[in-house]
Amino acid sequence: MKFFIINSGSSSIKYQVIEMKTETVLATGLVERIGEETGRLKNTFLPGTATQRETVLEQQIADHYSGMMLVISLLTDKAHGIIKDTSEISAIGHRVVHGGEDFRESTRITPKVIEALQRNIPLAPLHNPANLDGIRVAMDIFPTVFQVAVFDTAFHQTMPPRAFMYALPYQLYEQDRVRRYGFHGTSHRFVAGECARLLAKPLDECNLITVHLGNGCSMTAIENGRSIDTSLGMTPLEGLVMGTRCGDLDPAIHLFLKQNKGMDLEAIDAMLNKESGLKGLCGMNDMRDIHQAVASGDARATLALEVQTYRNRKYIGAYMAVLGRVDGIVFTAGIGENDDIVRAESLKGLEVFGVHLDPEKNRLRSKEARRISREDSSVRVFVIPTNEELAIAREVANVLRG
Ligand code: ADP
């Protein structure tokens, strides 16, 4: 059974074809610069195997429909493709950023679901229309195939009001649904499931703190397998210090910037999303560059690292207080999976709460899920690689079974 996983952006389509029996990736690729003068498609068949084959096409790609058709012509190519025709695709999974309060779970796509997605556009004005483009095109091309929307927000719909409400006038929630939604839900859910397996405990008996540190960063408090609090908010700007996003901020800084720097709201929003975070602090947003700069004595890079890991520590402490008992802390995504220094700094001083990292295990590099805490650590610490496409595919399989 082969699933097609689609992550459609405003000018891009990321995709994978996964054979579900073995959970192997048959093809992975990215269509970029859709609508620009020259578009680009990079496709890799059987990635990571001895027979890996890579194709790059550069040509104009007018819209998402043309982009998808180009992908399909590669996948079904007589000489090199991995499927005979589109009927080999049993189901399609779409990543959707914002499901608002309408979606607590991954959902089969119907006209009603598309309507609800449209209703939620104000909550994610950049992402949801792009996700909808991908859905519409796939519905056109694969009208009879089972298609599922998998939401970044759905896992966090179990948060109680005390965690998701902002202390703002209540009618903003009633009328406009202004509240915390949280994101990266597919990743938090996936690594929580893997962690339960490593703990040899049912997920619904696990209390976990999952720490997703990539370009975007977020942390989730998971009680008995359910998200009860998370650091990203109504938009993916709140919480931890990210690559270019500021995370938590005094909201009055908006007014200060307007009054003292003559910035309008759009300029402030662009600055907080694209010029802040690690990049704002030290000019770099890739953690590997930051470590190099730290090693050569760059004080601002050192500061950026400290600000990020201090914020991580503060949130871990807060979520330990919220959960009481914590079975495991899980690090995942680009930084979380690869950066032993960030992990160690983020847990520094937490020994008093029963968190004891094993420095050697922490330093060891591996692509495998693994425990990095000492045997006697009452809170176990894990590194678990996230895999968003596989997580989406498993969600699709669940919906299909249901
Ligand atoms: P995204 O949020 O875009 O999915 P990723 O999870 O791929 O991002 O994480 C990307 C970030 O991971 C990079 O910006 C970089 O800072 C960090 N990263 C990747 N590899 C390493 C590494 N070996 N050491 C430290 N940081 C790394």
Side-chain angles (χ1 to χ4, degrees):
M1 201 155 66
K2 298 178 181 76
F3 286 1
F4 192 23
I5 307 303
I6 299 172
N7 182 352
S8 172
S10 58
S11 63
S12 68
I13 305 169
K14 242 170 103 176
Y15 63 90
Q16 282 195 358
V17 178
I18 302 180
E19 171 52 62
M20 290 308 289
K21 216 187 295 162
T22 48
E23 295 193 337
T24 1
V25 179
L26 302 178
T28 180
L30 174 66
V31 187
E32 300 176 273
R33 304 202 290 261
I34 294 173
E36 291 180 32
E37 221 159 274
T38 19
R40 184 172 188 269
L41 162 61
K42 183 177 168 191
N43 178 78
T44 309
F45 287 126
L46 303 169
T49 68
T51 47
Q52 169 169 325
R53 277 169 287 139
E54 212 172 272
T55 315
V56 177
L57 298 176
E58 300 233 353
Q59 65 186 74
Q60 196 180 30
I61 300 168
D63 48 28
H64 284 71
Y65 187 88
S66 322
M68 195 80 83
M69 289 309 283
L70 199 59
V71 172
I72 289 165
S73 67
L74 261 183
L75 297 178
T76 54
D77 183 84
K78 287 229 157 42
H80 306 289
I82 39 104
I83 50 173
K84 272 205 297 293
D85 57 59
T86 50
S87 70
E88 275 190 54
I89 301 291
S90 315
I92 300 178
H94 294 270
R95 178 191 182 222
V96 179
V97 168
H98 218 308
E101 289 188 327
D102 291 310
F103 299 101
R104 303 176 69 83
E105 280 167 3
S106 302
T107 305
R108 181 176 189 177
I109 298 172
T110 60
K112 264 216 166 96
V113 168
I114 293 181
E115 248 171 61
L117 288 176
Q118 253 156 342
R119 231 184 4 255
N120 282 316
I121 285 179
L123 293 172
L126 293 179
H127 292 103
N128 272 24
N131 300 155
L132 267 166
D133 277 346
I135 291 175
R136 287 206 185 92
V137 165
M139 298 291 264
D140 264 5
I141 300 176
F142 300 87
T144 57
V145 176
F146 191 89
Q147 307 206 22
V148 174
V150 178
F151 302 92
D152 265 20
T153 49
F155 181 55
H156 302 300
Q157 278 296 304
T158 46
M159 282 189 290
R162 62 172 178 268
F164 74 65
M165 284 302 293
Y166 292 123
L168 290 169
Y170 191 75
Q171 54 282 20
L172 277 174
Y173 171 63
E174 277 185 315
Q175 289 164 14
D176 303 290
R177 291 291 171 253
V178 173
R179 52 160 282 182
R180 173 187 313 287
Y181 291 94
F183 299 87
H184 296 150
T186 314
S187 170
H188 287 289
R189 187 203 303 266
F190 180 81
V191 298
E194 295 295 303
C195 185
R197 222 181 307 240
L198 293 177
L199 287 165
K201 235 176 141 171
L203 178 59
D204 62 8
E205 290 173 19
C206 290
N207 281 7
L208 307 171
I209 298 174
T210 48
V211 188
H212 177 112
L213 303 175
N215 279 313
C217 300
S218 66
M219 200 179 298
T220 299
I222 296 175
E223 185 179 61
N224 298 326
R226 292 147 63 93
S227 168
I228 59 157
D229 203 351
T230 193
S231 62
L232 289 170
M234 171 159 160
T235 76
L237 190 57
E238 199 181 342
L240 307 179
V241 175
M242 306 177 226
T244 64
R245 290 178 246 158
C246 59
D248 289 342
L249 199 69
D250 180 346
I253 289 175
H254 279 77
L255 188 65
F256 176 89
L257 292 172
K258 179 169 180 286
Q259 288 178 338
N260 293 278
K261 308 295 280 182
M263 292 170 76
D264 61 21
L265 278 178
E266 283 67 29
I268 295 170
D269 188 56
M271 184 185 86
L272 300 181
N273 276 289
K274 297 187 180 132
E275 302 297 330
S276 299
L278 297 169
K279 185 178 180 197
L281 286 164
C282 72
M284 291 166 270
N285 58 297
D286 191 306
M287 200 41 102
R288 288 161 289 197
D289 299 336
I290 294 176
H291 284 303
Q292 271 194 352
V294 170
S296 64
D298 184 326
R300 290 239 248 116
T302 307
L303 176 70
L305 188 63
E306 270 182 21
V307 174
Q308 192 194 49
T309 54
Y310 174 74
R311 180 88 49 92
N312 291 345
R313 196 149 75 232
K314 215 158 86 166
Y315 264 87
I316 291 171
Y319 287 171
M320 291 182 98
V322 158
L323 289 167
R325 186 198 87 233
V326 178
D327 302 305
I329 298 175
V330 181
F331 286 92
T332 192
I335 299 174
E337 289 165 29
N338 294 299
D339 197 320
D340 57 304
I341 298 173
V342 168
R343 291 192 299 255
E345 288 297 309
S346 301
L347 298 176
K348 205 163 78 181
L350 299 180
E351 294 81 6
V352 51
F353 301 110
V355 183
H356 299 279
L357 211 53
D358 180 324
E360 263 173 43
K361 285 195 177 128
N362 183 37
R363 263 195 302 274
L364 206 79
R365 296 188 61 86
S366 158
K367 293 254 171 264
E368 301 296 314
R370 59 202 183 274
R371 181 165 62 78
I372 57 168
S373 51
R374 279 187 349 217
E375 290 295 334
D376 64 340
S377 184
S378 60
V379 178
R380 298 196 190 169
V381 185
F382 298 91
V383 176
I384 300 181
T386 192
N387 184 338
E388 200 178 16
E389 286 78 15
L390 179 58
I392 292 175
R394 286 187 189 168
E395 285 289 304
V396 173
N398 274 339
V399 178
L400 198 58
R401 270 197 297 272

